[in-house]
Amino acid sequence: MNKTVEGETPNQPQLENRFYGQDFITVKELDRQKIEYLFAETDMMRAMLEAREVKKFLLDHAVTILFFEPSSRTCSSFIAAAQYLGAVTTVFQDMNSYSSVVKNESFPDTIKTFENTTFASTIVIRHPDDNSSKEAAKYAEVPIVNAGSGSAEHPTQALLDLYTIYNRLGRYDNLNVVFIGDARFGRTIKSLADLLAKIGTGNQLTFVTDPLLALPDDYKSELSKIATVNETQDLQGTLAEADVVYVTRTQKERFEKAGLLDRYPEVRAKYKIGKEEAALMKPEAIIMHPLPRQEELRYGVDKDPRAAYFDQMGFGLPIRMALLKSIIIE
Ligand code: NCD
């Protein structure tokens, strides 16, 4: 449904907020118009932050943040986003220790509880189960925002990743993106790959992993329907053509759950990006990492102008401000 304003060129889609009142659980429901809308809002949030004049768009609304898994960047930026916008912000950063989950309260009751006790306008949730956000959305009357669900999805990370790419390279089409590390358990890789495939055209997605950490087959076959997917173990061979090198950590905590802990040492840092690898990359390419890092991303590249990961983490705040506002305010 495109609104046209009198005097403006017809067929030119006007930016319309299609996030209002909706869950944000997956990148699979995004399209270019929604991304353009959100990125324009993000630009506005950045300008207000820089000026230290953030409008309290969410005054008298409540944002309730429930984390069942550890987090630094995602949790802190959601909290700051809600507070900058003036929302009543309730945070349970360690649901497994400090909520009635300890008393075996069920997941549906937990969601209903926090919705009611805080009169929430939206609930932000991070949880180790792949379907956690979808499940939460069944029980909540208000929109659910997925802040990371198991090994499956991390849609707000994908938004800030795409925003970083757009900010640095000026496009999200015709990109050669090389993903390195843990494509099996890593959720950031999957959400960004899905998003690039869904909204971009001509993107080539290459995954450099140990075979143990390759993309799950069912995921890969879905992705291959809408994007060019390559898998290789030859990191050096991919770097010269890459526009984006997206490095990730091997997710040790998920090895434990999968009973694979004995295999962890051999794959832990099989692929690394350091000065030597960066020397093989194009001058205009960028290096990204959702962080936290281990030894797969060497400190030696931090000062390389192509290192985009500190900007990337900084974009988490305005992106999440834009998203919360768009979901809560019409
Ligand atoms: C990632 C996550 O939680 O999936 N971190 C983040 O949100 N920036 C990546 C990771 O934990 O390795």
Side-chain angles (χ1 to χ4, degrees), residues 81 99 108 129 166 176 195 201 223 230 277:
S99 76
D129 292 349
Y166 192 68
N176 189 332
L195 184 55
T201 53
L223 184 67
N230 311 302
E277 291 75 19

Side-chain angles (χ1 to χ4, degrees), residues 91-325:
V91 188
F92 269 61
Q93 225 180 326
D94 188 352
M95 285 292 287
N96 299 314
S97 303
Y98 295 114
S99 76
S100 287
V101 167
V102 179
K103 303 176 189 172
N104 278 327
E105 186 155 54
S106 68
F107 191 63
D109 281 0
T110 299
I111 297 300
K112 283 200 175 77
T113 298
F114 283 95
E115 178 174 9
N116 284 293
T117 57
T118 62
F119 195 43
S121 298
T122 188
I123 298 174
V124 179
I125 180 167
R126 167 173 288 199
H127 193 284
D129 292 349
D130 288 3
N131 286 320
S132 47
S133 281
K134 257 183 237 152
E135 280 296 304
K138 286 189 201 159
Y139 312 121
E141 304 285 328
V142 296
I144 293 291
V145 177
N146 181 358
S149 48
S151 298
E153 302 197 63
H154 195 343
T156 63
Q157 179 73 39
L159 288 176
L160 70 95
D161 290 346
L162 190 73
Y163 187 84
T164 306
I165 293 173
Y166 192 68
N167 177 269
R168 287 286 187 116
L169 301 177
R171 66 184 200 276
Y172 30 74
D173 300 312
N174 302 315
L175 291 166
N176 189 332
V177 183
V178 175
F179 293 96
I180 299 170
D182 188 347
R184 176 172 177 168
F185 299 115
R187 54 194 172 199
T188 66
I189 287 189
K190 296 186 191 94
S191 284
L192 179 57
D194 278 337
L195 184 55
L196 285 165
K198 180 82 204 308
I199 66 137
T201 53
N203 291 325
Q204 291 226 30
L205 310 176
T206 300
F207 298 86
V208 184
T209 72
D210 182 87
L212 185 72
L213 300 181
L215 286 173
D217 286 338
D218 49 347
Y219 173 88
K220 187 171 59 187
S221 64
E222 285 303 307
L223 184 67
S224 305
K225 287 180 195 161
I226 52 169
T228 310
V229 175
N230 311 302
E231 291 181 295
T232 177
Q233 292 195 62
D234 172 23
L235 173 62
Q236 315 288 328
T238 64
L239 293 175
E241 295 301 318
D243 299 304
V244 178
V245 174
Y246 191 96
V247 194
T248 64
R249 170 182 76 93
T250 304
Q251 309 256 314
K252 183 180 182 192
E253 66 277 25
R254 305 197 199 279
F255 275 62
E256 279 178 71
K257 217 173 154 186
L260 289 167
L261 207 50
D262 55 323
R263 306 284 307 276
Y264 175 70
E266 86 200 57
V267 293
R268 173 180 170 133
K270 182 161 170 181
Y271 298 102
K272 293 188 184 124
I273 294 293
K275 281 186 174 169
E276 254 174 60
E277 291 75 19
L280 302 174
M281 292 170 53
K282 295 192 274 197
E284 67 276 19
I286 58 170
I287 303 168
M288 298 176 66
H289 195 308
L291 302 169
R293 66 175 136 183
Q294 292 164 339
E295 59 278 21
E296 72 283 349
L297 178 59
R298 313 306 294 188
Y299 286 84
V301 292
D302 287 2
K303 295 220 155 60
D304 190 311
R306 295 168 297 178
Y309 33 91
F310 296 121
D311 282 359
Q312 183 185 350
M313 69 157 88
F315 291 142
L317 174 62
I319 276 277
R320 290 177 172 122
M321 288 167 75
L323 183 68
L324 290 175
K325 171 182 176 263

